[in-house]
Amino acid sequence: MTAPATAGAGPALEARDFSIRLHTRAQSITIVDEVSWSVAPGETLAIVGESGSGKTVSTLGIFGLLPANVACDTGGQVLLHGRDVLGLPDTERAKILGSDVGVIFQDPLTAFNPMRRVGPQIARSVQAHLGLSTADARERAVELLGQVGIADPRARYAAYPHEMSGGMRQRALVALAIAGEPTVLIADEPTTALDVTTQAQLLELLRTIQAERGLALVLITHDMGVVASIADKIAVMYAGRVVEYGDAVSVLGDPDHPYTSGLLASIADARAGAKEPFRVLPGLPPDLARVGEGCRFADRCELAEASCADLVPVLVPLRTRTGGRQASACWKHPRHEPLTEPDEQKAVRA
Ligand SMILES: Nc1ncnc2c1ncn2[C@@H]1O[C@H](COP(=O)(O)OP(=O)(O)O)[C@@H](O)[C@H]1O
Ligand code: SF4
Ligand SMILES: [Mg+2]
């Protein structure tokens, strides 16, 4: 794990048993189930898992960006620099977005108004969050466009979103996300829509921006290749729960949970040039409306035993070869001896 300059300051953002319950007319479904993780200044936490595993709702849901037109309630705690976010009124929570917390969405057009020029949209955010004059905000926006690697930023200031390439729009979105000088950046599948070369360039940009500003970066992705190239810590999500959590070296080098091992095997196959179009794992995640007690991965797990269906496994800290932190929610822990010391059992949260 890289040692951030301000690592001693404690987590920038921390989820503690964070849950989201969604209420439809017919039923209530727990779409995020007691998720815990933390990210410190200068650190990158990757939240990884297949589509529908709850990556987006478990992060953006913290700030009130919840599924539209559905009643939701939240449980647990989320601390931003030690301050409880969930207890704030909705308007206060919404204000955090764009100021203390910047967001990069998968599709820049959800953040940019397609009918307006890009530069003034960034300038408006600068003005709203930093209180600069119109002229100064404009200069700052041009500066930001330059900092994210957009050539001729003064001319590009006046471009409409559709006049930019996908890669350039995503860079402009990084500029918009950092316009309010946030301390935390959440990037939700920021490279998914881009070609491989542009993906690599955008990740490099995120790394640079993060290092320059000491940002805590939460990177949401379903791509283990992206995770391997950038993460300090990893939270692997499956069906609304974190099934493995720890420093990237331990989780990637010696995964414990069968789901993590399956995800890693799938990128190994892809790199080895398997001719068959590869699937992440055979089978599909469970319907959250129907999950009961027991391990949610059981239907797809080669190691499943009858007892796995009895009780939901919780994260248990593991011994790691490197002395790093790692915890996994599997009754069998195929690669590790679970710790037994009561004090270490408490130390799941990094
Ligand atoms: N509008 C909605 N109505 C019902 N369920 C929803 C809605 N939005 C999200 N969900 C539930 O939340 C789960 C997690 O969604 P999401 O966070 O978008 O997953 P991910 O980002 O990992 O792809 C989905 O599988 C779905 O069960
Ligand atoms: S608890 Fe059982 S079903 Fe779940 S991942 Fe472990 S071995 Fe597989
Ligand atoms: Mg998502």
Side-chain angles (χ1 to χ4, degrees), residues 119-344:
Q121 297 191 54
I122 297 171
R124 195 167 327 106
S125 180
V126 168
Q127 226 177 345
H129 297 296
L130 305 184
L132 299 186
S133 70
T134 309
D136 287 349
R138 181 191 165 94
E139 274 314 297
R140 180 82 190 112
V142 171
E143 214 177 289
L144 283 166
L145 288 171
Q147 281 173 13
V148 297
I150 291 182
D152 198 1
R154 207 164 286 281
R156 291 290 176 190
Y157 181 92
Y160 285 97
H162 70 264
E163 292 173 331
M164 293 182 156
S165 67
M168 198 189 290
R169 262 202 305 262
Q170 215 43 340
R171 284 176 184 272
L173 186 52
V174 176
L176 180 66
I178 60 173
E181 300 191 350
T183 55
V184 177
L185 194 57
I186 299 177
D188 188 359
E189 310 261 11
T191 63
T192 303
L194 306 174
D195 63 71
V196 175
T197 312
T198 318
Q199 270 186 13
Q201 289 167 351
L202 196 85
L203 284 181
E204 192 48 46
L205 172 66
L206 286 178
R207 246 192 299 258
T208 308
I209 296 274
Q210 176 191 36
E212 284 171 0
R213 294 161 181 258
L215 288 169
L217 176 62
V218 180
L219 179 73
I220 301 170
T221 179
H222 63 271
D223 184 338
M224 282 303 242
V226 168
V227 173
S229 72
I230 196 169
D232 297 310
K233 274 160 130 181
I234 299 175
V236 181
M237 287 197 74
Y238 188 78
R241 292 182 66 87
V242 172
V243 295
E244 185 150 8
Y245 177 58
D247 63 84
V249 172
S250 304
V251 174
L252 297 176
D254 195 11
D256 179 77
H257 199 282
Y259 179 61
T260 316
S261 305
L263 287 180
L264 286 168
S266 71
I267 58 163
D269 286 355
R271 287 202 177 131
K275 291 212 175 67
E276 296 295 311
F278 80 102
R279 291 176 64 178
V280 170
L281 277 174
L284 290 170
D287 176 356
L288 292 180
R290 291 173 200 281
V291 290
E293 288 306 315
C295 178
R296 294 180 176 186
F297 188 58
D299 283 352
R300 299 168 79 185
C301 181
E302 289 176 358
L303 304 176
E305 290 176 354
S307 59
C308 294
D310 292 343
L311 209 58
V312 63
V314 294
L315 282 175
V316 173
L318 306 163
R319 285 186 204 288
T320 59
R321 293 192 191 124
T322 55
R325 281 173 181 271
Q326 186 177 5
S328 150
C330 166
W331 292 121
K332 294 184 73 173
H333 297 295
R335 309 228 180 143
H336 291 271
E337 286 301 311
L339 301 178
T340 50
E341 295 84 342
D343 284 345
E344 288 176 293

Side-chain angles (χ1 to χ4, degrees), residues 63-76:
F63 304 100
L65 296 180
L66 288 163
N69 308 321
V70 189
C72 294
D73 60 58
T74 53

